[in-house]
Amino acid sequence: QVQLAESGGGSVQPGDPLTLSCTASGIPFEDIHMGWFRQAPGKERERISYLWRDGSVPFYEDSVKGRFSISRDNTKKLLYLELSDTKPEDTAVYFCAADTVWANFVLGRPTYWGQGTQVTVSS
Protein backbone atom coordinates (compact mmCIF):
# COMPACT_ATOMS: atom_id res chain seq x y z
CA GLN A 1 0.00 0.00 0.00
CA VAL A 2 1.42 3.34 -1.04
CA GLN A 3 1.50 5.94 1.71
CA LEU A 4 2.60 9.56 1.49
CA ALA A 5 3.23 11.73 4.52
CA GLU A 6 3.78 15.49 4.52
CA SER A 7 5.54 17.51 7.19
CA GLY A 8 6.79 21.03 7.74
CA GLY A 9 3.56 23.01 7.68
CA GLY A 10 2.94 25.84 10.11
CA SER A 11 2.16 29.50 10.54
CA VAL A 12 4.40 32.17 9.06
CA GLN A 13 4.23 35.89 8.43
CA PRO A 14 3.99 37.24 4.89
CA GLY A 15 7.35 37.09 3.19
CA ASP A 16 8.73 34.38 5.45
CA PRO A 17 10.06 31.12 3.98
CA LEU A 18 8.85 27.64 4.77
CA THR A 19 9.90 24.20 3.57
CA LEU A 20 7.54 21.26 3.26
CA SER A 21 8.69 17.66 3.01
CA CYS A 22 7.04 14.45 1.90
CA THR A 23 8.03 10.83 2.34
CA ALA A 24 6.66 7.85 0.46
CA SER A 25 6.43 4.18 1.40
CA GLY A 26 5.04 1.08 -0.22
CA ILE A 27 6.58 1.81 -3.62
CA PRO A 28 10.15 2.39 -4.85
CA PHE A 29 10.69 6.12 -4.44
CA GLU A 30 12.65 6.38 -7.68
CA ASP A 31 9.70 4.91 -9.63
CA ILE A 32 7.23 7.68 -8.83
CA HIS A 33 6.76 11.14 -10.23
CA MET A 34 5.78 13.49 -7.43
CA GLY A 35 4.25 16.86 -6.85
CA TRP A 36 2.33 19.23 -4.66
CA PHE A 37 -1.25 20.43 -4.62
CA ARG A 38 -3.01 22.76 -2.24
CA GLN A 39 -6.55 23.50 -1.18
CA ALA A 40 -7.56 26.81 0.33
CA PRO A 41 -10.74 27.18 2.39
CA GLY A 42 -13.78 27.22 0.15
CA LYS A 43 -11.76 26.52 -2.99
CA GLU A 44 -11.01 23.53 -5.15
CA ARG A 45 -7.76 21.64 -4.86
CA GLU A 46 -5.11 23.32 -7.01
CA ARG A 47 -2.06 21.73 -8.60
CA ILE A 48 0.99 23.88 -7.93
CA SER A 49 4.11 21.94 -8.87
CA TYR A 50 5.37 18.52 -9.91
CA LEU A 51 8.52 16.90 -11.26
CA TRP A 52 9.83 13.80 -12.93
CA ARG A 53 10.96 10.80 -10.88
CA ASP A 54 14.63 11.70 -11.34
CA GLY A 55 14.04 15.30 -10.28
CA SER A 56 14.04 16.75 -13.74
CA VAL A 57 11.32 18.61 -15.69
CA PRO A 58 9.91 20.67 -12.81
CA PHE A 59 6.58 22.31 -13.53
CA TYR A 60 5.07 25.27 -11.71
CA GLU A 61 1.68 26.90 -11.90
CA ASP A 62 1.81 30.64 -12.54
CA SER A 63 0.51 31.36 -9.03
CA VAL A 64 3.75 30.08 -7.46
CA LYS A 65 6.31 30.37 -10.27
CA GLY A 66 9.38 32.26 -9.09
CA ARG A 67 8.42 31.93 -5.41
CA PHE A 68 8.20 28.19 -4.79
CA SER A 69 10.82 25.57 -5.59
CA ILE A 70 10.23 21.83 -5.86
CA SER A 71 12.99 19.25 -5.50
CA ARG A 72 13.56 15.70 -4.40
CA ASP A 73 16.34 13.63 -2.91
CA ASN A 74 16.00 10.05 -4.06
CA THR A 75 18.72 8.84 -1.71
CA LYS A 76 16.81 10.21 1.27
CA LYS A 77 13.44 9.42 -0.30
CA LEU A 78 12.17 12.91 0.29
CA LEU A 79 10.23 15.40 -1.79
CA TYR A 80 10.50 19.08 -0.90
CA LEU A 81 8.62 22.27 -1.56
CA GLU A 82 10.42 25.47 -0.61
CA LEU A 83 8.08 28.41 -0.18
CA SER A 84 9.49 31.92 -0.34
CA ASP A 85 7.96 35.39 -0.53
CA THR A 86 4.89 33.86 1.06
CA LYS A 87 1.55 35.64 0.77
CA PRO A 88 -1.74 35.34 2.67
CA GLU A 89 -3.24 33.74 -0.43
CA ASP A 90 -0.78 30.86 -0.01
CA THR A 91 -2.76 29.80 3.06
CA ALA A 92 -4.02 26.30 2.36
CA VAL A 93 -3.67 22.64 3.13
CA TYR A 94 -0.76 21.37 1.07
CA PHE A 95 -0.87 17.83 -0.29
CA CYS A 96 1.90 15.65 -1.58
CA ALA A 97 0.95 13.46 -4.55
CA ALA A 98 2.58 10.68 -6.55
CA ASP A 99 2.05 8.51 -9.58
CA THR A 100 4.04 6.19 -11.81
CA VAL A 101 2.33 7.71 -14.86
CA TRP A 102 3.51 11.22 -15.82
CA ALA A 103 0.36 11.95 -17.80
CA ASN A 104 -1.71 11.74 -14.63
CA PHE A 105 0.15 14.74 -13.23
CA VAL A 106 -0.26 16.60 -16.50
CA LEU A 107 -3.97 15.94 -16.22
CA GLY A 108 -4.00 16.92 -12.55
CA ARG A 109 -5.10 13.49 -11.41
CA PRO A 110 -2.28 11.65 -9.64
CA THR A 111 -3.18 8.38 -7.98
CA TYR A 112 -1.58 8.62 -4.56
CA TRP A 113 -2.15 11.35 -1.98
CA GLY A 114 -0.95 12.33 1.44
CA GLN A 115 -3.17 13.60 4.22
CA GLY A 116 -2.02 17.19 3.88
CA THR A 117 -0.24 19.74 6.03
CA GLN A 118 -1.63 23.16 6.92
CA VAL A 119 0.22 26.30 5.89
CA THR A 120 -1.04 29.61 7.23
CA VAL A 121 0.41 32.93 6.11
CA SER A 122 -0.79 35.79 8.26
CA SER A 123 0.48 38.89 9.95
Side-chain angles (χ1 to χ4, degrees):
Q1 181 179 358
V2 178
Q3 292 187 321
L4 305 179
E6 304 91 342
S7 61
S11 295
V12 296
Q13 295 188 340
D16 285 351
L18 191 67
T19 299
L20 307 181
S21 302
C22 175
T23 62
S25 60
I27 190 169
F29 192 82
E30 61 273 14
D31 287 352
I32 50 175
H33 311 298
M34 300 188 76
W36 294 93
F37 289 64
R38 68 184 179 186
Q39 188 168 18
K43 295 188 176 181
E44 293 186 354
R45 189 173 296 186
E46 172 193 19
R47 183 186 62 192
I48 56 175
S49 184
Y50 57 97
L51 78 174
W52 195 258
R53 54 180 174 256
D54 67 355
S56 64
V57 199
F59 171 88
Y60 299 94
E61 296 291 348
D62 287 345
S63 57
V64 303
K65 193 176 296 183
R67 299 190 301 117
F68 291 8
S69 178
I70 189 171
S71 62
R72 62 189 290 167
D73 186 332
N74 284 1
T75 60
K76 296 181 179 179
K77 300 183 179 182
L78 284 170
L79 173 74
Y80 302 101
L81 184 69
E82 297 178 63
L83 290 67
S84 63
D85 188 23
T86 51
K87 303 176 180 182
E89 52 264 41
D90 294 324
T91 295
V93 177
Y94 284 69
F95 297 91
C96 172
D99 206 304
T100 57
V101 179
W102 179 251
N104 287 340
F105 268 105
V106 176
L107 294 172
R109 300 199 301 260
T111 301
Y112 308 110
W113 294 88
Q115 293 298 307
T117 185
Q118 176 70 45
V119 172
T120 302
V121 183
S122 174
S123 55

